[in-house]
Amino acid sequence: MISKNALQRLEQKHPWIGIVFFLDLIGGLALTMKYMFSRTVTMQYPDKEKWMPYPRYRGHHVLRRDENGENKCVACELCSKICPTNCITVVPHENEQGKRRPLVYEVNLARCLFCGLCEDACPEEAIALGSTFEYAAYRSQDLQVGCDELLNAKGKTEQGGCVVSAQFFPDDNARVEAKEKAGYHWWRNIHRQKDKIESSVQGKDR
Amino acid sequence: MELIIAAIVILIKVIVIAVILFIVPIPLTWMERKIAGHIQQRLGPMRVGWHGLLQPVADGLKLLTKEDIIPDQADRLLFKMAPLVSLVPPFAVFVAIPFGESVSVMGYEISLYISDMNVGLLYILAVAGLEIYGVIFGGWASNSKYALLGSLRTCAQLISYEIPMGFSVIGVIMLSHSMSLLDIVNAQQDIWFIVYQPLGFFIFFVAGLAEAQRIPFDLAEAEGDLGAGFHTEYSGMRFSFFMLSEYLVMLTISILCVLLFFGGWHGVLIPLPAPIWFALKVGLFIYIFMWFRFTFPRYRYDQLMNIGWKVLLPLSLFNILLTGIFIF
Ligand code: SF4
Ligand code: SF4
């Protein structure tokens, strides 16, 4: 360390030394060499890994069920009212038990901007933005999702923010399936002070 | 009989070297992309084959199946000729390059070079200089401003760096009293010429970077201002010929660095077979080329010319003078 400082001082005093020996270029080369052998930050999605979103992540909509396994939504239409892009269609009706339930509940995911206002507006906590983010479709009609699909969609993650190992199925119904529940913290490879970051994230997000 | 065997041996050697030269860019592109990736903390190609090893093959297939576009207003003959013209000299150079001394197979002595010319070095510099025609033709025939500007820049660059390059090897020639690469390497049996010629090596290396059009001297294909330089209009297989020749030039420069300054196939300390030592050293130089590429930004055009004419040329002349005094 001492010798390095002495060298730096010498160079500051006589700038020509740096120019003659290309110290700036050598510094650059040393830096790239260091990076060459450092850990890569690539997340190998979709082949081997997949990111689990945080609980706060706003993805594909999901309709929650109550304790009887019934749709929680009471078709009050508040969500469709508040929606800035007008992409929720709710048609209420009365079911056999005389309860107000949606006859039609459709979300146009192609138009939705995932602001989460519907989730905030809902008095029954029925609609929510879940954790699914892989729902690309070939036709825009396919992004018009109905009640059944919404009831079966994946809800929010419990912890999230991690990279789990996954498997890629490149068939017609292409998908990436996570193979485990918990993985490594996705920030680990990017931020070197691993422990500090991890603890702070856990403190805030749980 | 003797004559026929000799002819057959030479033919086989030529074919083997040509095939190797066609194949060598495949691992080189893979290596380049891997090095690029890791320097930028990425992984590089990972999907085709083990760690993306087959990626260059996939890319080659893709290039083969691509539509071969010739621009409407292009000079069709020159446009078709240019890739070939730029591909031939890098191959022709390897006629004079020795890869080792000789091995005996079944009692028959086979030399690891096609021909040991007494003017080998001169031949290599001259033939390598011909590559510039491919660049000029390509840029001119495309009839596009970017291609033309790119090829003009390349010409100016290649011509101005060929001079210091030629001068920088004179020191080596003076030390070894020969232009034959075999003699030059054998003269370095005990002490590599890098010890006597650090300045010469530096000039040769920098000029070599410029000759191979690698960063920081890759003005010919400065993506930011020229599209892709002289091969902007090329696609498919014709484009890959340009790439092929670029990689071969890089290989040639690396080999020359090793032959002229780093003792060729003579090893130090660890006794390894000569070809392995040779390959290791060449590999190291190729790595350095790629390492440079992903470290440095590109020089501005006037800086490039300044370095060539105002720094490297006087330095190379000074080096000749120094070598003369040293020998005297
Ligand atoms: S997230 Fe926003 S845009 Fe999307 S459906 Fe809900 S309210 Fe509408
Ligand atoms: S999802 Fe909530 S806000 Fe929307 S209609 Fe149903 S209960 Fe009302």
Side-chain angles (χ1 to χ4, degrees), chain A residues 61 79 82-85 87-88 107 112-118 129:
Chain A
H61 294 66
C79 50
I82 202 165
C83 177
T85 59
C87 63
I88 305 183
V107 181
C112 170
L113 53 88
F114 302 98
C115 59
L117 283 178
C118 47
L129 299 181

Side-chain angles (χ1 to χ4, degrees), chain B residues 13-308:
Chain B
K13 278 196 284 198
V14 169
I15 291 171
V16 166
I17 286 183
V19 168
I20 288 177
L21 289 183
F22 264 115
I23 292 174
V24 141
I26 292 176
L28 284 188
T29 51
W30 177 81
M31 203 173 130
E32 174 138 36
R33 292 179 63 178
K34 274 290 179 195
I35 290 173
H38 281 275
I39 280 182
Q40 296 159 0
Q41 296 194 312
R42 298 181 286 111
L43 285 168
M46 284 297 274
R47 299 203 63 181
V48 192
W50 183 81
H51 277 246
L53 252 176
L54 294 179
Q55 184 70 44
V57 180
D59 287 347
L61 282 178
K62 185 197 77 178
L63 282 172
L64 268 175
T65 54
K66 279 229 163 167
E67 189 189 351
D68 176 28
I69 301 167
I70 299 180
D72 215 13
Q73 301 288 313
D75 186 329
R76 299 182 75 88
L77 180 68
L78 280 186
F79 192 85
K80 286 180 187 164
M81 248 169 74
L84 295 176
V85 172
S86 81
L87 193 59
V88 169
F91 275 88
V93 157
F94 279 85
V95 171
I97 287 180
F99 300 95
E101 246 158 325
S102 50
V103 287
S104 53
V105 181
M106 293 181 295
Y108 191 83
E109 196 88 337
I110 294 181
S111 51
L112 290 176
Y113 44 84
I114 295 179
S115 106
D116 174 29
M117 290 186 206
N118 54 358
V119 290
L121 198 49
L122 199 62
Y123 167 83
I124 287 174
L125 289 180
V127 172
L130 286 179
E131 201 216 336
I132 199 170
Y133 282 107
V135 176
I136 300 178
F137 290 169
W140 178 257
S142 313
N143 200 4
S144 133
K145 56 177 177 278
Y146 294 127
L148 185 61
L149 280 175
S151 80
L152 283 180
R153 276 188 185 185
T154 316
C155 293
Q157 173 182 341
L158 290 187
I159 289 170
S160 28
Y161 278 81
E162 213 130 88
I163 300 166
M165 191 171 193
F167 279 149
S168 66
V169 298
I170 290 183
V172 171
I173 297 170
M174 285 160 86
L175 283 177
S176 62
H177 302 291
S178 169
M179 276 214 219
S180 146
L181 283 167
L182 206 59
D183 291 348
I184 291 178
V185 172
N186 283 336
Q188 301 177 62
Q189 194 124 36
D190 303 320
I191 300 172
W192 296 355
F193 281 163
I194 178 77
V195 179
Y196 300 124
Q197 294 276 328
L199 192 59
F201 167 68
F202 168 74
I203 298 162
F204 185 83
F205 186 70
V206 174
L209 274 177
E211 283 287 297
Q213 289 163 39
R214 304 285 299 182
I215 279 181
F217 302 109
D218 72 330
L219 281 141
E221 35 197 287
E223 301 93 336
D225 36 323
L226 281 182
F230 61 90
H231 50 58
T232 307
E233 304 292 343
Y234 281 88
S235 59
M237 222 37 216
R238 293 186 209 281
F239 167 74
S240 69
F241 278 172
F242 278 123
M243 288 315 279
L244 202 63
S245 94
E246 196 178 298
Y247 275 105
L248 289 183
V249 171
M250 183 167 83
L251 186 68
T252 315
I253 302 283
S254 307
I255 287 179
L256 281 183
C257 280
V258 171
L259 287 179
L260 296 179
F261 298 99
F262 284 85
W265 47 85
H266 296 305
V268 277
L269 303 176
I270 318 158
L272 286 177
I276 293 185
W277 257 116
F278 188 64
L280 275 180
K281 288 187 210 168
V282 173
L284 181 72
F285 268 98
I286 289 177
Y287 176 77
I288 290 175
F289 270 97
M290 293 178 176
W291 180 20
F292 271 37
R293 165 153 183 199
F294 295 102
T295 301
F296 297 137
R298 179 179 300 130
Y299 275 113
R300 220 169 49 217
Y301 191 67
D302 57 324
Q303 290 171 331
L304 175 91
M305 284 295 146
N306 275 350
I307 294 172

Side-chain angles (χ1 to χ4, degrees), chain A residues 101-127:
Chain A
R101 287 283 180 262
L103 181 65
V104 177
Y105 193 103
E106 275 188 347
V107 181
N108 187 350
L109 289 172
R111 231 161 65 203
C112 170
L113 53 88
F114 302 98
C115 59
L117 283 178
C118 47
E119 186 174 357
D120 289 347
C122 181
E124 297 290 319
E125 303 211 314
I127 188 82

Side-chain angles (χ1 to χ4, degrees), chain A residues 44-103:
Chain A
Q44 292 196 55
Y45 177 83
D47 290 330
K48 286 189 188 141
E49 291 168 335
K50 179 179 179 173
W51 180 63
M52 291 304 247
Y54 285 105
R56 60 169 185 257
Y57 183 81
R58 301 199 294 255
H60 191 298
H61 294 66
V62 54
L63 273 174
R64 294 209 180 95
R65 295 167 191 270
D66 59 13
E67 52 282 0
N68 303 328
E70 246 190 281
N71 192 348
K72 259 185 168 182
C73 170
V74 294
C76 67
E77 296 178 55
L78 279 179
C79 50
S80 83
K81 283 274 153 25
I82 202 165
C83 177
T85 59
N86 246 340
C87 63
I88 305 183
T89 316
V90 187
V91 177
H93 83 138
E94 205 182 292
N95 71 357
E96 302 84 59
Q97 290 101 33
K99 283 182 179 161
R100 188 183 157 107
R101 287 283 180 262
L103 181 65

